[in-house]
C-alpha cells in the first residue's frame, strides 16, 4: 500500500548465539522459530552474488542482517530492502525461491545490472517490486504477470529493453506501474491485440502509468477509454505519463473516458492530427473535472487549441508548445481557470494581441508565449496577478509596452521582450531593461542558512548541518535529489522550499533540524531538482542505516505526498556509510559519477586555477608591484587603487548605479562565489558584474594577482574583462556582456534553436581556441577548471567565447557545498583529477570532451541518470557509428560519415580515463580546424543569411576588436515555428 511503513525488524534478544550455531550447521532444521532454510539459502546466494557480506551478512540471525526484515515469528523473510547499499552484480535466479517475500526494494545500486530473472515470477506473495535507478538490462519478464498480489511496480531509470508485457495487464491490484526512463520499445499493449487477452486497458485498479522516456512506438490506443466491451476500465488512472517516446497517430477522443485523469502528458512524441475537443468530457465524470496538467508540446499537432473551458476548475499546467497549429489567437478560455499556474505556448502560431487580463489571472506564475506572432502593445494592467513571476514575450511582433501598474509586485516579475519591434534600437520608448533581459534565466536557489561554525571545514563528503545551532560537528548525511517530473514552476522561492522541507520532516517523522535543503536548480528541460540532506538527530553521528532505509524506501514507494513537485522522482546522491566508503576504490565510471554527484551536490565551484610554475613565481612578484600602494582591502580608499591598462577600476558607487543597486531584476546568475548582475555602462555597453559574496572574498594580495592575470588575457574566444571593483569592502569583476546566451541554452534551453552541423563546429572551434590560449599562451598558463556548456557564451555575432574567469578560486568556507577540495561541475569532472586531487591542463581537456559530446548529442552530461560519456563510449565501442546513431542529435547527420567519425574519435580521446591519453588543447584545435575547413564549401553554399556570422568565426577572418561594433542584428527566426530536424533513418 502507498503509505505502508517499513515493517519493523523483529529483535529477539538472547537468540543470537543459538542462531549462530544454527547458521554454522547451515541446513540443520532442529532450531525452533528460526528462518527457514530455503530463505537462508536464498540469502546466501544473494550474498555471494552481490558482495553483501560487507554489510554484516553471513553471521548471526539473518533477521538482523542489513535490509532483511522477517515476519513476526522470525521464520521467513518478508521484506528485503537494500536501497543504496552498494550491492553490485546481477540478480540471481535463486531470488525466486523466497518462501514468503512481500516487499523487494533494491533501488539506488548503480552496480546492480543484468536482467531481471524470470524466476521473479515465482514470488507470488510479492506486493511491491521496486528496483529503480540501477543498471538493469534485458526485458521486463512477462512472468511478473503471475504476481497477482502486486500493488506496486517501480522499475524506472534502468536500461530495460523489449516491450511492455501484456501479462501485467492481468494484475488487478496494481495501482503503480512505473517503467519510465528505460530503453523500452514496441507498442503499448492492448487486450484486442494480444494473445493472452490482457493489456494496459484491462488494469482496472491502476492509477499510474509512467512510461515516459523510452522508445515506445505505435498509437495511444483508443481502447484505453473505449475497450471492446464498451465499459472503460481505466477509470482510476490519474497519471498518464507518456512523454519522450516515439508514439504516433492521433490522440483518441476516448481518452475523455478516463474520468479520474489528473495529468495527461504526451509531450515530445510524434502525435499528429488535432487535439480532440471532446477531451472536455473529462470534466463530466463522477468526480467532476479532475485534470490538472495537460502537456502535449513537441508533437506535430494541427488545427487550433480547442476551447477547454469545462476543464478549468482544476487546471494548473498547460503545455502546447512546438506543434504545427494554424495561426490562432491567445486562448481566452484560460482566463476562467482559477488555479492556472503555468502556461507554455511557444511556437504555437499565436496571432493578435495578448489580452491584458491574462496578466491578472489569480494564480498565474509563468506565461511563455515567446516565438509567436502576437502583436499590438503589451499592456500591463492596473492590477496584476499576485503570483506572476515570469512573462516570456520574446520574438513576437509587439510594437510597444505600456505599464499602467504601480503596485509593488511589479519588480518581482521577470519580463522578457527581446526580439520584438518594441525593442528596435530606434524605437523612442524602448523599454531598455525588458529588452535586454537575458532570456531563460531560471535561477538556481541556495539555502539562506549558513553554518554558524565558519572556522570549521568539513572533509570529504562530511557536512556541517547549519540547522543544528551550536553544533560544529561534520557528519555524513544521506544526500538525495528530488526531481519534479513536470516543469510546473519556473522560480524557486524560499517559501516553496520551506514548505517542501516541512513536509519531509513531518511525513518522515524526523526532527526539524534533520532535513536541510541545500540547493535547488532547474534541469536543462526546465524541471526543478532539489538537493536534500538528511542528518542524524543527535548532530554527532552519521545518519544510520535504518533511517537511510526508511527514508529511501518512503521515496521509492512514493509514500510521501509532495504536491509541489508531483509526481516526483528521487535519487540517492550519497548514502553515508556504505556507498561513499566502499566505492572509492572501484574505478568504474559509474562509481565515480556517484561520488562526484554526491561530493559536488549541485553547486558548481567556479573560477580558474592558475598554476604558477616554480620558475615563474619570481617574475610574477615583480609584475605585481604596481599594486604596491593598494593597501589591505576592507575600508581602503578607492583612490589608492592603481589604474592598469586593460582593466578599468570601477568605484563601488558606479557599479551600484549600473546594476540598479544590485536589484534582483539584474541578477543573471549565482554560484558558490556569489552573484552575477547585468548592468549598462554610461556609454551604453552592457556588462556582467560578478560580485563575490562576503565569505568568498580573497585576500587583497590574491585579488590583485587575479586582476593582474586576467587583465592580460585577451583573445577573441574569451569573454573580455572590462574592469574590476575593489572598494567599500567589495570584490567584483566586470565582464563584457554576451547577448546570445550560453551554448547550453542553444542546445537544451527552453527555446533551444536548431543548430546545424556547421554551427556546432563553429562553437567547438571557437571555444577550443579560447581554451588552448589559456593553456598555451597565457602567461602564466591558466587551467580553467570549470569548462561546461553553460560557460561557453555566444556574442552578438555568435562567436563562441569561454567565460567564467576569476574571482573565488576557493568556494566559500563554511558553506555546505564546500565538502571536497576537488572543484568542478558534475558531469564534466575529470575522474583522474577527482581520484588524485592533481589538477592539470588535461582536466580541462576532459571537460571539453564532454562539451564536444554535448554538441554531438544535444544531451546534458548527466541526463536521467545516464552519463553521456559512458553512453556514447559504450554504444560506439559496441556498434561503431551505427551504434551511436540513436544517441546523436539528428542535425549532425549533415556531416559526412568520416567527419562525424573524426569528431567522435576526438571527443572520446578527450574523455580518456587517463590524462596522459588525452590530446592537448592545441591538438584538439588543429583537428577541429581541419574538420571546419572540410565543411567549409558545403556549409557556405547552403548558409542562410542569418547563419553567416556563425561561419566567419570558424574561418577566423574577423577581428575580435570589431566584434562589439557591428550592427547588432537581433538573431531571430523570421518564420515563427521551425520544423524539427528530420529524424535519422
Ligand atoms: C494475496 O493477498 C490476499 C489478501 O491479502 C491473501 O489472502 C493471499 O494469501 C495473498 N496471496 C498470496 C499468494 O500471498
Ligand atoms: C537502447 O535501444 C536501442 C535501440 O533498440 C539500442 O540501439 C541501444 O543500444 C539501447 N541502449 C542501451 C543503453 O541499452
Amino acid at each position: 500500500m502507498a503509505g505502508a511503513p517499513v515493517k519493523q525488524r523483529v529483535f529477539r534478544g538472547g537468540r543470537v548465539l543459538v542462531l549462530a550455531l544454527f547458521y554454522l550447521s547451515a541446513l540443520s532444521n532442529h532450531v525452533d522459530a528460526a528462518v527457514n532454510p530455503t530463505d537462508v539459502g536464498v540469502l546466501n546466494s544473494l550474498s555471494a552474488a552481490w558482495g553483501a557480506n560487507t554489510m554484516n551478512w553471513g553471521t548471526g540471525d539473518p533477521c538482523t542482517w542489513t535490509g532483511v526484515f522477517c515476519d513476526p515469528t522470525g521464520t521467513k523473510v518478508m521484506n528485503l530492502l537494500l536501497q543504496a547499499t552498494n550491492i553490485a552484480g546481477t540478480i540471481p535466479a535463486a531470488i525466486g525461491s523466497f518462501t514468503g517475500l512481500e516487499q523487494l526494494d533494491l533501488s539506488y545500486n548503480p552496480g546492480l545490472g543484468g536482467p531481471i530473472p524470470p524466476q521473479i515470477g515465482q514470488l507470488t506473495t510479492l506486493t511491491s517490486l521496486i528496483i529503480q535507478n540501477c543498471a538493469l538490462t534485458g526485458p521486463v519478464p512477462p512472468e511478473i504477470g503471475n504476481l497477482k498480489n502486486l500493488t506496486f511496480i517501480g522499475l524506472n531509470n534502468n536500461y530495460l529493453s523489449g516491450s511492455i508485457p501484456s501479462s501485467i495487464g492481468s494484475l488487478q491490484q496494481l495501482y503503480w506501474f512505473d517503467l519510465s526512463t528505460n530503453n523500452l520499445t514496441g507498442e503499448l499493449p492492448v487486450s484486442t491485440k494480444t494473445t493472452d487477452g490482457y493489456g494496459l486497458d484491462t488494469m482496472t485498479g491502476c492509477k499510474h502509468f509512467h512510461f515516459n522516456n523510452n522508445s515506445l512506438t505505435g498509437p495511444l490506443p483508443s481502447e484505453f477509454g473505449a475497450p471492446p466491451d464498451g465499459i472503460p476500465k481505466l477509470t482510476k488512472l490519474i497519471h498518464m505519463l507518456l512523454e519522450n517516446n516515439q508514439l504516433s497517430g492521433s490522440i483518441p477522443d476516448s481518452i475523455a473516458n478516463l474520468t479520474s485523469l489528473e495529468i495527461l502528458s504526451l509531450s515530445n512524441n510524434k502525435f499528429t492530427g488535432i487535439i480532440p475537443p471532446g477531451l472536455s468530457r473529462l470534466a463530466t465524470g463522477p468526480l467532476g473535472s479532475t485534470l490538472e496538467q495537460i502537456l502535449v508540446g513537441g508533437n506535430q499537432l494541427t488545427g487550433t487549441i480547442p476551447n477547454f473551458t469545462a476543464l478549468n476548475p482544476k487546471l494548473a499546467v498547460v503545455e502546447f508548445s512546438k506543434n504545427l497549429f494554424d495561426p490562432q489567437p491567445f486562448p481566452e478560455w484560460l482566463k476562467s481557470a482559477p488555479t492556472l499556474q503555468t502556461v507554455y505556448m511557444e511556437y504555437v502560431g499565436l496571432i493578435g494581441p495578448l489580452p491584458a487580463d491574462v496578466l491578472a489571472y489569480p494564480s498565474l506564475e509563468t506565461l511563455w508565449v515567446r516565438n509567436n506572432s502576437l502583436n499590438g502593445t503589451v499592456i500591463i494592467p492596473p492590477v496584476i496577478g499576485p503570483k506572476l513571476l515570469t512573462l516570456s514575450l520574446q520574438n513576437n511582433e509587439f510594437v510597444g509596452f505600456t505599464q499602467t501598474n504601480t503596485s509593488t509586485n511589479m519588480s518581482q516579475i521577470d519580463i522578457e521582450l527581446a526580439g520584438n519591434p518594441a525593442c528596435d534600437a530606434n524605437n523612442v520608448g524602448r523599454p531598455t531593461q525588458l529588452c535586454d533581459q537575458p532570456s531563460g534565466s531560471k535561477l538556481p536557489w541556495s539555502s539562506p542558512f549558513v553554518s554558524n561554525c565558519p572556522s570549521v571545514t568539513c572533509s570529504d563528503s562530511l557536512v556541517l548541518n547549519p540547522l543544528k545551532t551550536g553544533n560544529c560537528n561534520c557528519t555524513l548525511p544521506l544526500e538525495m535529489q528530488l526531481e519534479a517530473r513536470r516543469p510546473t514552476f519556473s522560480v524557486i522561492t524560499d517559501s516553496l522550499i520551506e514548505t517542501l522541507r516541512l513536509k519531509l520532516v513531518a511525513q518522515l517523522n524526523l526532527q526539524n533540524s534533520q532535513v536541510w535543503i541545500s540547493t535547488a536548480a532547474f534541469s536543462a528541460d526546465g524541471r526543478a531538482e532539489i538537493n536534500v540532506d538528511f542528518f542524524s538527530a543527535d548532530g554527532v553521528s552519521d545518519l544510520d542505516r535504518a533511517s537511510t532505509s526508511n527514508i529511501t524506501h518512503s521515496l521509492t514507494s512514493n509514500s510521501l505526498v509532495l504536491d509541489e513537485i508531483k509526481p516526483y522522482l528521487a535519487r540517492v546522491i550519497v548514502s553515508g556509510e556504505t556507498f561513499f566508503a566502499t566505492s572509492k576504490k572501484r574505478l568504474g565510471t559509474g562509481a565515480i559519477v556517484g561520488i562526484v554527484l554526491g561530493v559536488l551536490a549541485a553547486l558548481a565551484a567556479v573560477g580558474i586555477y592558475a598554476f604558477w610554475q616554480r620558475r615563474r613565481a619570481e617574475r610574477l612578484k615583480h609584475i605585481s608591484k604596481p599594486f604596491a600602494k593598494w593597501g589591505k582591502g576592507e575600508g581602503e580608499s578607492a583612490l589608492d587603487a592603481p589604474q592598469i591598462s586593460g582593466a578599468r577600476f570601477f568605484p563601488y558607487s558606479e557599479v551600484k548605479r549600473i546594476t540598479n543597486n544590485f536589484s534582483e531584476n539584474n541578477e543573471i546568475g549565482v554560484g558558490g562565489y556569489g552573484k552575477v548582475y547585468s548592468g549598462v555602462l554610461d556609454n551604453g555597453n552592457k556588462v556582467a558584474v560578478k560580485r563575490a559574496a562576503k565569505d568568498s572574498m580573497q585576500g587583497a594580495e590574491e585579488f590583485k594577482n587575479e586582476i593582474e592575470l586576467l587583465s592580460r588575457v585577451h583573445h577573441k574566444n574569451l569573454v573580455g574583462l572590462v574592469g574590476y571593483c575593489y572598494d567599500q569592502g567589495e570584490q567584483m569583476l566586470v565582464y563584457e556582456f554576451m547577448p546570445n546566451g550560453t551554448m547550453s541554452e542553444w542546445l537544451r534551453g527552453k527555446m533551444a534553436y536548431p543548430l546545424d552541423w556547421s554551427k556546432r563546429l563553429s562553437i567547438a572551434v571557437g571555444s577550443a581556441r579560447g581554451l588552448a590560449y589559456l593553456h598555451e599562451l597565457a602567461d602564466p598558463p591558466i587551467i580553467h577548471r570549470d569548462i561546461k556548456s553553460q560557460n561557453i557564451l555566444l556574442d552578438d555575432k555568435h562567436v563562441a567565447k569561454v567565460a567564467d574567469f576569476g574571482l573565488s578560486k576557493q568556494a566559500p568556507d563554511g558553506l555546505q557545498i564546500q565538502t571536497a577540495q576537488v572543484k568542478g561541475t558534475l558531469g564534466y569532472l575529470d575522474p583522474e583529477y577527482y581520484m588524485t586531487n592533481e589538477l592539470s591542463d588535461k582536466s580541462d581537456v576532459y571537460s571539453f570532451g564532454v562539451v564536444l559530446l554535448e554538441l554531438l548529442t544535444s544531451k546534458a552530461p548527466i541526463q536521467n541518470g545516464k552519463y553521456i560519456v559512458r553512453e556514447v563510449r559504450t554504444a560506439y565501442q559496441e556498434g561503431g557509428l551505427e551504434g551511436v546513431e540513436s544517441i546523436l542529435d539528428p542535425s549532425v547527420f549533415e556531416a559526412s560519415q568520416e567527419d562525424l567519425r573524426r569528431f567522435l574519435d576526438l571527443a572520446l580521446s578527450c574523455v580518456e580515463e587517463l590524462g596522459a591519453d588525452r590530446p592537448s588543447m592545441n591538438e584538439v584545435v588543429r583537428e577541429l580546424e581541419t574538420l571546419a575547413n572540410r565543411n567549409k564549401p558545403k556549409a557556405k553554399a547552403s548558409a542562410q543569411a542569418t547563419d553567416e556570422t556563425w561561419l566567419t568565426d570558424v574561418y577566423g577572418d574577423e577581428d575580435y576588436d570589431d566584434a562589439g561594433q557591428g550592427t547588432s542584428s537581433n538573431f531571430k527566426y523570421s518564420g515563427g515555428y521551425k520544423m524539427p530536424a528530420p529524424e535519422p533513418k
Side-chain angles (χ1 to χ4, degrees), residues 273-277 296-297 299-308 318-334 343-355 358 368-375 396-398 976-977:
I274 60 166
I275 302 176
V296 296
N299 282 290
Q300 294 152 31
L301 299 170
T302 50
T304 56
I305 298 168
N307 181 334
F308 284 141
V318 297
E319 191 224 14
F320 294 112
S321 296
K322 298 180 181 166
N323 276 293
L324 304 174
F325 294 125
D326 295 337
Q328 56 189 324
F330 184 89
E332 292 247 21
W333 56 268
L334 281 172
V343 175
Y344 286 122
M345 282 199 280
E346 61 172 318
Y347 294 118
V348 297
L350 295 179
I351 51 171
L354 178 70
V358 171
W368 290 58
V369 290
R370 60 216 244 166
N371 300 311
N372 284 295
S373 300
L374 292 167
N375 59 21
N396 277 288
E397 306 295 334
F398 293 119
Y977 179 70

Side-chain angles (χ1 to χ4, degrees), residues 955-984:
Y955 312 115
D957 46 27
E958 189 134 323
D959 190 12
Y960 171 75
D961 291 323
D962 305 338
Q965 314 305 338
T967 48
S968 82
S969 59
N970 246 327
F971 189 74
K972 182 187 169 190
Y973 284 100
S974 47
Y977 179 70
K978 271 276 223 206
M979 280 293 289
E983 294 290 326

